[in-house]
Amino acid sequence: MMNIKIVILTVMSIFLGTVSAAESIGGKTLVWNLVGSGPMYERMVPDIDGDGADDPAICFDVDLLNAKNGQQIGTATDCLSNITDVGAGKALVGTTYFNLPQGTLVTRGSTTVQPVTQGITTASGQLITHVTGAAGTDNAILGGTKRFKNSTGTVRLSGMVDMSQFFGALGEPIAFDCLFVIILD
């Protein structure tokens, strides 16, 4: 168990070192951490399938932290659509609303969710049942307000979730501990 924690800490150190290097290369890099648990509810998200109409999603509200210092900077709403079983995992479209006093930033990515193969528990003691990830080179920003109006850029998600209480009914929670690296153009 201790070895797993050491590996996770090592990977996070490398990851955060890479993010620091990205900040000096160009663009504005934001590293945010979605943490917490929220009950599932339905919401419409901007068009996914190209028909011009908003699409349904299941959403969860959690705290948004600055990954550098752990301070809460706002809230986030993570919305999941087009959920498809792929083997033991899931493929889905994730639309995430980052709500800060300086404005709202909306991102989207094609996301993979897979069960863990070894026991994982976060530093706060949260059991993790699945790991999740998304990344790409295309613009992943759907829109924004205030400071984030007209923003473009790429988004990378590396996350952990506890889906042990998630059975697909409204009101059921998922616990999140997900890092987002957003590189604004």
PDB file of all heavy atoms in Angstrom, residues 9 15-16 19 28 30-31 33 45 58 63 81-82 87 89 99 107 109-110 113 128 133-134 153 161 165 171 176 185:
ATOM      1  N   LEU A   9       2.619   9.715  -5.625  1.00  0.00           N
ATOM      2  CA  LEU A   9       3.301  10.981  -5.313  1.00  0.00           C
ATOM      3  C   LEU A   9       4.391  11.284  -6.338  1.00  0.00           C
ATOM      4  O   LEU A   9       4.567  12.434  -6.753  1.00  0.00           O
ATOM      5  CB  LEU A   9       3.881  10.948  -3.904  1.00  0.00           C
ATOM      6  CG  LEU A   9       2.851  11.000  -2.780  1.00  0.00           C
ATOM      7  CD1 LEU A   9       3.530  10.802  -1.433  1.00  0.00           C
ATOM      8  CD2 LEU A   9       2.095  12.314  -2.812  1.00  0.00           C
ATOM      9  N   PHE A  15       4.297  15.248 -12.949  1.00  0.00           N
ATOM     10  CA  PHE A  15       3.206  15.957 -13.611  1.00  0.00           C
ATOM     11  C   PHE A  15       3.271  17.447 -13.295  1.00  0.00           C
ATOM     12  O   PHE A  15       3.233  18.277 -14.189  1.00  0.00           O
ATOM     13  CB  PHE A  15       1.871  15.361 -13.156  1.00  0.00           C
ATOM     14  CG  PHE A  15       0.667  16.121 -13.609  1.00  0.00           C
ATOM     15  CD1 PHE A  15       0.225  16.029 -14.916  1.00  0.00           C
ATOM     16  CD2 PHE A  15      -0.030  16.933 -12.734  1.00  0.00           C
ATOM     17  CE1 PHE A  15      -0.886  16.728 -15.339  1.00  0.00           C
ATOM     18  CE2 PHE A  15      -1.139  17.630 -13.143  1.00  0.00           C
ATOM     19  CZ  PHE A  15      -1.563  17.524 -14.456  1.00  0.00           C
ATOM     20  N   LEU A  16       3.393  17.797 -12.016  1.00  0.00           N
ATOM     21  CA  LEU A  16       3.425  19.208 -11.638  1.00  0.00           C
ATOM     22  C   LEU A  16       4.697  19.881 -12.145  1.00  0.00           C
ATOM     23  O   LEU A  16       4.683  21.049 -12.505  1.00  0.00           O
ATOM     24  CB  LEU A  16       3.264  19.366 -10.129  1.00  0.00           C
ATOM     25  CG  LEU A  16       1.877  19.000  -9.614  1.00  0.00           C
ATOM     26  CD1 LEU A  16       1.841  19.067  -8.086  1.00  0.00           C
ATOM     27  CD2 LEU A  16       0.799  19.875 -10.207  1.00  0.00           C
ATOM     28  N   VAL A  19       3.993  20.734 -15.687  1.00  0.00           N
ATOM     29  CA  VAL A  19       3.117  21.894 -15.768  1.00  0.00           C
ATOM     30  C   VAL A  19       3.916  23.176 -15.563  1.00  0.00           C
ATOM     31  O   VAL A  19       3.733  24.147 -16.270  1.00  0.00           O
ATOM     32  CB  VAL A  19       1.976  21.771 -14.731  1.00  0.00           C
ATOM     33  CG1 VAL A  19       1.220  23.068 -14.617  1.00  0.00           C
ATOM     34  CG2 VAL A  19       1.052  20.636 -15.115  1.00  0.00           C
ATOM     35  N   LYS A  28      -1.120  30.814 -21.042  1.00  0.00           N
ATOM     36  CA  LYS A  28      -1.431  30.814 -19.616  1.00  0.00           C
ATOM     37  C   LYS A  28      -1.869  29.411 -19.232  1.00  0.00           C
ATOM     38  O   LYS A  28      -2.818  28.869 -19.789  1.00  0.00           O
ATOM     39  CB  LYS A  28      -2.548  31.826 -19.344  1.00  0.00           C
ATOM     40  CG  LYS A  28      -3.067  31.843 -17.949  1.00  0.00           C
ATOM     41  CD  LYS A  28      -2.067  32.455 -17.001  1.00  0.00           C
ATOM     42  CE  LYS A  28      -2.716  32.557 -15.620  1.00  0.00           C
ATOM     43  NZ  LYS A  28      -1.762  32.742 -14.582  1.00  0.00           N
ATOM     44  N   LEU A  30      -3.370  26.867 -16.469  1.00  0.00           N
ATOM     45  CA  LEU A  30      -4.160  26.779 -15.244  1.00  0.00           C
ATOM     46  C   LEU A  30      -4.177  25.326 -14.803  1.00  0.00           C
ATOM     47  O   LEU A  30      -4.418  24.432 -15.628  1.00  0.00           O
ATOM     48  CB  LEU A  30      -5.591  27.259 -15.508  1.00  0.00           C
ATOM     49  CG  LEU A  30      -5.726  28.619 -16.192  1.00  0.00           C
ATOM     50  CD1 LEU A  30      -7.160  28.853 -16.649  1.00  0.00           C
ATOM     51  CD2 LEU A  30      -5.270  29.720 -15.246  1.00  0.00           C
ATOM     52  N   VAL A  31      -3.921  25.071 -13.539  1.00  0.00           N
ATOM     53  CA  VAL A  31      -3.969  23.708 -13.008  1.00  0.00           C
ATOM     54  C   VAL A  31      -4.976  23.708 -11.872  1.00  0.00           C
ATOM     55  O   VAL A  31      -4.733  24.289 -10.812  1.00  0.00           O
ATOM     56  CB  VAL A  31      -2.586  23.225 -12.527  1.00  0.00           C
ATOM     57  CG1 VAL A  31      -2.666  21.768 -12.069  1.00  0.00           C
ATOM     58  CG2 VAL A  31      -1.554  23.375 -13.632  1.00  0.00           C
ATOM     59  N   ASN A  33      -8.047  21.553  -9.550  1.00  0.00           N
ATOM     60  CA  ASN A  33      -8.384  20.262  -8.954  1.00  0.00           C
ATOM     61  C   ASN A  33      -9.864  20.262  -8.567  1.00  0.00           C
ATOM     62  O   ASN A  33     -10.285  21.073  -7.747  1.00  0.00           O
ATOM     63  CB  ASN A  33      -7.498  20.066  -7.725  1.00  0.00           C
ATOM     64  CG  ASN A  33      -7.517  18.676  -7.135  1.00  0.00           C
ATOM     65  OD1 ASN A  33      -7.004  18.505  -6.048  1.00  0.00           O
ATOM     66  ND2 ASN A  33      -8.057  17.694  -7.804  1.00  0.00           N
ATOM     67  N   VAL A  45     -26.482  20.400 -21.867  1.00  0.00           N
ATOM     68  CA  VAL A  45     -25.171  20.965 -22.153  1.00  0.00           C
ATOM     69  C   VAL A  45     -25.142  21.389 -23.625  1.00  0.00           C
ATOM     70  O   VAL A  45     -25.968  20.930 -24.412  1.00  0.00           O
ATOM     71  CB  VAL A  45     -24.038  19.961 -21.847  1.00  0.00           C
ATOM     72  CG1 VAL A  45     -23.993  19.630 -20.371  1.00  0.00           C
ATOM     73  CG2 VAL A  45     -24.169  18.700 -22.686  1.00  0.00           C
ATOM     74  N   ILE A  58     -25.752  14.063 -17.332  1.00  0.00           N
ATOM     75  CA  ILE A  58     -25.875  13.921 -15.883  1.00  0.00           C
ATOM     76  C   ILE A  58     -24.711  14.696 -15.280  1.00  0.00           C
ATOM     77  O   ILE A  58     -23.575  14.614 -15.756  1.00  0.00           O
ATOM     78  CB  ILE A  58     -25.892  12.447 -15.435  1.00  0.00           C
ATOM     79  CG1 ILE A  58     -24.668  11.689 -15.924  1.00  0.00           C
ATOM     80  CG2 ILE A  58     -27.167  11.772 -15.901  1.00  0.00           C
ATOM     81  CD1 ILE A  58     -24.550  10.287 -15.345  1.00  0.00           C
ATOM     82  N   ASP A  63     -16.216  21.112  -5.408  1.00  0.00           N
ATOM     83  CA  ASP A  63     -15.336  22.248  -5.165  1.00  0.00           C
ATOM     84  C   ASP A  63     -14.248  22.318  -6.233  1.00  0.00           C
ATOM     85  O   ASP A  63     -13.813  21.293  -6.771  1.00  0.00           O
ATOM     86  CB  ASP A  63     -14.670  22.132  -3.794  1.00  0.00           C
ATOM     87  CG  ASP A  63     -15.650  22.296  -2.649  1.00  0.00           C
ATOM     88  OD1 ASP A  63     -16.708  22.925  -2.846  1.00  0.00           O
ATOM     89  OD2 ASP A  63     -15.360  21.782  -1.554  1.00  0.00           O
ATOM     90  N   SER A  81     -22.053  12.882 -20.730  1.00  0.00           N
ATOM     91  CA  SER A  81     -23.013  12.566 -21.794  1.00  0.00           C
ATOM     92  C   SER A  81     -22.484  11.422 -22.640  1.00  0.00           C
ATOM     93  O   SER A  81     -21.292  11.104 -22.606  1.00  0.00           O
ATOM     94  CB  SER A  81     -23.218  13.776 -22.710  1.00  0.00           C
ATOM     95  OG  SER A  81     -23.630  14.903 -22.007  1.00  0.00           O
ATOM     96  N   ASN A  82     -23.368  10.851 -23.448  1.00  0.00           N
ATOM     97  CA  ASN A  82     -22.994   9.806 -24.403  1.00  0.00           C
ATOM     98  C   ASN A  82     -22.179   8.702 -23.734  1.00  0.00           C
ATOM     99  O   ASN A  82     -21.162   8.255 -24.271  1.00  0.00           O
ATOM    100  CB  ASN A  82     -22.226  10.384 -25.584  1.00  0.00           C
ATOM    101  CG  ASN A  82     -23.022  11.395 -26.369  1.00  0.00           C
ATOM    102  OD1 ASN A  82     -24.151  11.719 -26.020  1.00  0.00           O
ATOM    103  ND2 ASN A  82     -22.448  11.907 -27.429  1.00  0.00           N
ATOM    104  N   GLY A  87     -15.863  -2.627 -22.741  1.00  0.00           N
ATOM    105  CA  GLY A  87     -15.242  -3.611 -21.858  1.00  0.00           C
ATOM    106  C   GLY A  87     -15.687  -3.344 -20.427  1.00  0.00           C
ATOM    107  O   GLY A  87     -16.865  -3.128 -20.164  1.00  0.00           O
ATOM    108  N   GLY A  89     -14.772  -0.706 -18.803  1.00  0.00           N
ATOM    109  CA  GLY A  89     -14.759   0.731 -18.612  1.00  0.00           C
ATOM    110  C   GLY A  89     -15.882   1.437 -19.335  1.00  0.00           C
ATOM    111  O   GLY A  89     -16.846   0.815 -19.784  1.00  0.00           O
ATOM    112  N   ASN A  99     -16.528  27.468 -12.423  1.00  0.00           N
ATOM    113  CA  ASN A  99     -17.191  28.697 -11.973  1.00  0.00           C
ATOM    114  C   ASN A  99     -16.317  29.416 -10.954  1.00  0.00           C
ATOM    115  O   ASN A  99     -16.153  28.949  -9.831  1.00  0.00           O
ATOM    116  CB  ASN A  99     -18.544  28.348 -11.351  1.00  0.00           C
ATOM    117  CG  ASN A  99     -19.386  27.497 -12.284  1.00  0.00           C
ATOM    118  OD1 ASN A  99     -19.719  27.922 -13.378  1.00  0.00           O
ATOM    119  ND2 ASN A  99     -19.718  26.298 -11.854  1.00  0.00           N
ATOM    120  N   THR A 107     -15.396  23.667 -20.751  1.00  0.00           N
ATOM    121  CA  THR A 107     -14.534  22.816 -21.563  1.00  0.00           C
ATOM    122  C   THR A 107     -15.242  21.510 -21.908  1.00  0.00           C
ATOM    123  O   THR A 107     -16.229  21.147 -21.273  1.00  0.00           O
ATOM    124  CB  THR A 107     -13.213  22.491 -20.838  1.00  0.00           C
ATOM    125  OG1 THR A 107     -13.496  21.663 -19.703  1.00  0.00           O
ATOM    126  CG2 THR A 107     -12.498  23.749 -20.388  1.00  0.00           C
ATOM    127  N   GLY A 109     -14.316  17.297 -23.423  1.00  0.00           N
ATOM    128  CA  GLY A 109     -13.357  16.307 -23.890  1.00  0.00           C
ATOM    129  C   GLY A 109     -13.961  14.931 -23.979  1.00  0.00           C
ATOM    130  O   GLY A 109     -14.917  14.605 -23.281  1.00  0.00           O
ATOM    131  N   SER A 110     -13.394  14.113 -24.856  1.00  0.00           N
ATOM    132  CA  SER A 110     -13.741  12.700 -24.938  1.00  0.00           C
ATOM    133  C   SER A 110     -12.967  11.990 -23.839  1.00  0.00           C
ATOM    134  O   SER A 110     -11.732  12.055 -23.811  1.00  0.00           O
ATOM    135  CB  SER A 110     -13.366  12.129 -26.306  1.00  0.00           C
ATOM    136  OG  SER A 110     -14.114  12.768 -27.316  1.00  0.00           O
ATOM    137  N   VAL A 113     -12.959   6.147 -18.808  1.00  0.00           N
ATOM    138  CA  VAL A 113     -13.076   5.805 -17.392  1.00  0.00           C
ATOM    139  C   VAL A 113     -12.833   4.305 -17.271  1.00  0.00           C
ATOM    140  O   VAL A 113     -13.499   3.516 -17.936  1.00  0.00           O
ATOM    141  CB  VAL A 113     -14.475   6.158 -16.840  1.00  0.00           C
ATOM    142  CG1 VAL A 113     -14.572   5.804 -15.366  1.00  0.00           C
ATOM    143  CG2 VAL A 113     -14.788   7.632 -17.066  1.00  0.00           C
ATOM    144  N   ILE A 128     -10.932   5.079  -4.141  1.00  0.00           N
ATOM    145  CA  ILE A 128     -11.016   5.328  -5.580  1.00  0.00           C
ATOM    146  C   ILE A 128     -11.322   4.008  -6.275  1.00  0.00           C
ATOM    147  O   ILE A 128     -10.634   3.013  -6.066  1.00  0.00           O
ATOM    148  CB  ILE A 128      -9.688   5.915  -6.118  1.00  0.00           C
ATOM    149  CG1 ILE A 128      -9.413   7.280  -5.482  1.00  0.00           C
ATOM    150  CG2 ILE A 128      -9.695   6.005  -7.633  1.00  0.00           C
ATOM    151  CD1 ILE A 128     -10.483   8.326  -5.714  1.00  0.00           C
ATOM    152  N   GLY A 133      -9.358   9.871 -17.745  1.00  0.00           N
ATOM    153  CA  GLY A 133      -8.446  10.754 -18.446  1.00  0.00           C
ATOM    154  C   GLY A 133      -8.996  11.229 -19.776  1.00  0.00           C
ATOM    155  O   GLY A 133      -9.857  10.578 -20.376  1.00  0.00           O
ATOM    156  N   ALA A 134      -8.492  12.374 -20.198  1.00  0.00           N
ATOM    157  CA  ALA A 134      -8.849  12.951 -21.499  1.00  0.00           C
ATOM    158  C   ALA A 134      -7.750  13.940 -21.876  1.00  0.00           C
ATOM    159  O   ALA A 134      -7.159  14.579 -21.004  1.00  0.00           O
ATOM    160  CB  ALA A 134     -10.194  13.654 -21.435  1.00  0.00           C
ATOM    161  N   GLY A 153      -8.025  27.022 -26.221  1.00  0.00           N
ATOM    162  CA  GLY A 153      -6.895  26.303 -25.660  1.00  0.00           C
ATOM    163  C   GLY A 153      -7.151  24.816 -25.548  1.00  0.00           C
ATOM    164  O   GLY A 153      -8.191  24.310 -25.972  1.00  0.00           O
ATOM    165  N   VAL A 161     -11.950   8.758  -9.464  1.00  0.00           N
ATOM    166  CA  VAL A 161     -13.324   8.875  -9.002  1.00  0.00           C
ATOM    167  C   VAL A 161     -13.714   7.642  -8.191  1.00  0.00           C
ATOM    168  O   VAL A 161     -13.175   6.555  -8.392  1.00  0.00           O
ATOM    169  CB  VAL A 161     -14.321   9.071 -10.168  1.00  0.00           C
ATOM    170  CG1 VAL A 161     -14.118  10.410 -10.842  1.00  0.00           C
ATOM    171  CG2 VAL A 161     -14.214   7.962 -11.190  1.00  0.00           C
ATOM    172  N   GLN A 165     -20.886   4.183  -5.056  1.00  0.00           N
ATOM    173  CA  GLN A 165     -22.276   4.491  -4.708  1.00  0.00           C
ATOM    174  C   GLN A 165     -23.096   4.887  -5.929  1.00  0.00           C
ATOM    175  O   GLN A 165     -24.247   5.280  -5.811  1.00  0.00           O
ATOM    176  CB  GLN A 165     -22.331   5.626  -3.676  1.00  0.00           C
ATOM    177  CG  GLN A 165     -21.601   5.317  -2.393  1.00  0.00           C
ATOM    178  CD  GLN A 165     -22.199   4.126  -1.680  1.00  0.00           C
ATOM    179  OE1 GLN A 165     -23.403   4.034  -1.470  1.00  0.00           O
ATOM    180  NE2 GLN A 165     -21.350   3.175  -1.315  1.00  0.00           N
ATOM    181  N   GLY A 171     -29.653  11.594  -8.002  1.00  0.00           N
ATOM    182  CA  GLY A 171     -29.376  11.772  -6.593  1.00  0.00           C
ATOM    183  C   GLY A 171     -28.192  10.976  -6.103  1.00  0.00           C
ATOM    184  O   GLY A 171     -27.635  11.281  -5.057  1.00  0.00           O
ATOM    185  N   PHE A 176     -15.129  12.887  -6.652  1.00  0.00           N
ATOM    186  CA  PHE A 176     -14.126  13.280  -7.638  1.00  0.00           C
ATOM    187  C   PHE A 176     -12.833  13.743  -6.970  1.00  0.00           C
ATOM    188  O   PHE A 176     -12.860  14.394  -5.930  1.00  0.00           O
ATOM    189  CB  PHE A 176     -14.632  14.470  -8.463  1.00  0.00           C
ATOM    190  CG  PHE A 176     -15.796  14.168  -9.363  1.00  0.00           C
ATOM    191  CD1 PHE A 176     -17.085  14.194  -8.866  1.00  0.00           C
ATOM    192  CD2 PHE A 176     -15.601  13.883 -10.696  1.00  0.00           C
ATOM    193  CE1 PHE A 176     -18.168  13.938  -9.694  1.00  0.00           C
ATOM    194  CE2 PHE A 176     -16.668  13.626 -11.532  1.00  0.00           C
ATOM    195  CZ  PHE A 176     -17.960  13.650 -11.025  1.00  0.00           C
ATOM    196  N   ASP A 185      -4.607  29.750 -25.093  1.00  0.00           N
ATOM    197  CA  ASP A 185      -3.794  30.311 -26.184  1.00  0.00           C
ATOM    198  C   ASP A 185      -3.494  31.773 -25.931  1.00  0.00           C
ATOM    199  O   ASP A 185      -4.173  32.470 -25.244  1.00  0.00           O
ATOM    200  CB  ASP A 185      -4.534  30.165 -27.518  1.00  0.00           C
ATOM    201  CG  ASP A 185      -4.702  28.705 -27.901  1.00  0.00           C
ATOM    202  OD1 ASP A 185      -3.861  27.870 -27.512  1.00  0.00           O
ATOM    203  OD2 ASP A 185      -5.697  28.395 -28.595  1.00  0.00           O
TER     204      ASP A 185
END
